[in-house]
Amino acid sequence: MNQKILVLSEKHGSKLKNVTIEALTAAKQMKKQAGRIVALCLGTYTEDQIKQLAEYGADQVIIAEDESLNVFTTDTYTDVLYQVIKEENPDIILMGHTGEGKDLAPRVAARLGIGLISDVTAINFENGEIIFTRPIYSGKAFQKKKVIEGKTFATIRPNNIPMEEPDLTRTVDATYISTKIYHNRINVNEIVQKATEGIDLSEAKIVISGGRGMKGQEGFILLKELATVLGGAVGASRGACDADYCDYSLQIGQTGKIVTPDLYIACGISGAIQHVAGMSNSKMIIAINKDSEAPIFSIADYGIVGDVFEVVPALIEAFRSVKM
Ligand code: FAD
């Protein structure tokens, strides 16, 4: 029987999420010679988005174009994803370890009666077997897992599987399917865009994060300026969110978002274990803190002991002059 890999596509506004492209890249690595990668789209997708899925590796695109799927709800997406998996019977199912993925994957796995490997940060192959790496103990250690029997189901942490270049010559025909929605206990009346509009914090390559050391909302305006110059997104510690310096949607850490950008700049953040749990896998960490003993320095690649209100404006000026 030919191998089939199903990848659940996600969008952010009009663009495919990077994690969807990363999941397609992972699928390509796992694909056997006669294997097929099927991208599943829930809701309306444009021709451009379908073409992009093909360019990044989808051999087939299935679209469940029910209008009610244009807005994510746990019930509707679970129903539809479950039906498609039953119908398509893929060997491997991949999706992003995003808000949606974290919500959906365990429910669908439970309905199917199969296991789930969540929050995968790397995929390797040993003796022809797929080995998934995932962080445990808030990122302090890594666990390697493989599936012994049955379907493989995994969620991929954003920003960890390097995206491959698209093959612009590839195209694919979309298959439109109708699905039944059995349960829906939620009506979404309105979606309010919060402070994270622009670059999606979980997918940002550069994150400028502020803590209680930023002293107030004005401090975060400074961070926004640095983020704009560098093309990054602003994040925060819970200390800063609790103090109402910024919105909770920016919170990074154990009870906030988990980020793994190429560059994380921590400004006026002490480095509490709960914060570190959300950012310690960043590829490079720069910490700015006036306390040379602050724990954040123990995980930083570069540390600047200084006042954020002197260092951050100097960085903005320096990066601006480099860009000009
Ligand atoms: P502080 O610890 O007060 O640190 C402020 C830092 O700013 C200090 O190091 C200080 O030296 C520095 N500073 C002050 N002024 C300046 C200046 N002018 N220039 C430079 N540096 C300056 N926290 C999270 O972040 N994310 C979570 O998800 C999270 N989840 C939690 C879950 C639980 C169950 C619990 C109990 C706590 C959680 N916390 C979380 C809270 C966490 O324990 C810390 O309280 C919080 O991270 C501290 O935020 P902070 O570093 O901004 O503030």
Side-chain angles (χ1 to χ4, degrees), residues 211-213 215 236-240 251-256 268-272 274-275 288-291 294 306-309:
R212 248 195 300 249
K215 305 283 191 255
S237 70
R238 180 155 138 189
Q251 186 184 320
I252 290 168
Q254 188 183 317
T255 44
I269 293 177
S270 59
Q274 296 90 352
H275 183 78
I288 308 166
N289 198 303
K290 65 179 185 185
D291 173 10
D307 188 324
V308 281
F309 296 100

Side-chain angles (χ1 to χ4, degrees), residues 218-296:
E218 299 73 28
F220 271 76
I221 295 173
L222 204 57
L223 298 185
K224 177 82 191 150
E225 219 178 314
L226 180 55
T228 307
V229 174
L230 291 176
V234 175
S237 70
R238 180 155 138 189
C241 300
D242 284 344
D244 202 24
Y245 299 172
C246 61
D247 193 87
Y248 275 105
S249 58
L250 302 190
Q251 186 184 320
I252 290 168
Q254 188 183 317
T255 44
K257 293 198 167 83
I258 293 179
V259 296
T260 38
D262 294 341
L263 174 63
Y264 188 91
I265 307 185
C267 308
I269 293 177
S270 59
I273 187 167
Q274 296 90 352
H275 183 78
V276 169
M279 45 66 76
S280 61
N281 291 125
S282 303
K283 284 157 203 110
M284 179 181 287
I285 299 169
I286 300 177
I288 308 166
N289 198 303
K290 65 179 185 185
D291 173 10
S292 63
E293 301 289 318
I296 192 79

Side-chain angles (χ1 to χ4, degrees), residues 138-251:
S138 298
K140 287 203 167 48
F142 287 90
Q143 185 181 49
K144 292 195 171 193
K145 285 196 150 188
K146 66 178 178 185
V147 176
I148 298 169
E149 205 187 312
K151 287 187 196 307
T152 299
F153 191 178
T155 59
I156 309 281
R157 184 186 281 200
N159 263 342
N160 279 268
I161 312 267
M163 288 191 264
E164 277 178 17
E165 288 299 310
D167 175 352
L168 302 178
T169 62
R170 292 191 95 232
T171 54
V172 69
D173 287 329
T175 312
Y176 290 84
I177 56 162
S178 60
T179 46
K180 285 202 175 66
I181 290 166
Y182 296 102
H183 317 90
N184 190 14
R185 291 164 292 185
I186 295 167
N187 262 333
V188 179
N189 293 327
E190 191 188 0
I191 295 174
V192 180
Q193 287 289 340
K194 293 212 115 174
T196 46
E197 63 187 278
I199 299 173
D200 182 352
L201 185 53
S202 329
E203 298 211 324
K205 297 283 178 209
I206 297 178
V207 174
I208 316 295
S209 220
R212 248 195 300 249
M214 294 314 299
K215 305 283 191 255
Q217 293 181 0
E218 299 73 28
F220 271 76
I221 295 173
L222 204 57
L223 298 185
K224 177 82 191 150
E225 219 178 314
L226 180 55
T228 307
V229 174
L230 291 176
V234 175
S237 70
R238 180 155 138 189
C241 300
D242 284 344
D244 202 24
Y245 299 172
C246 61
D247 193 87
Y248 275 105
S249 58
L250 302 190
Q251 186 184 320

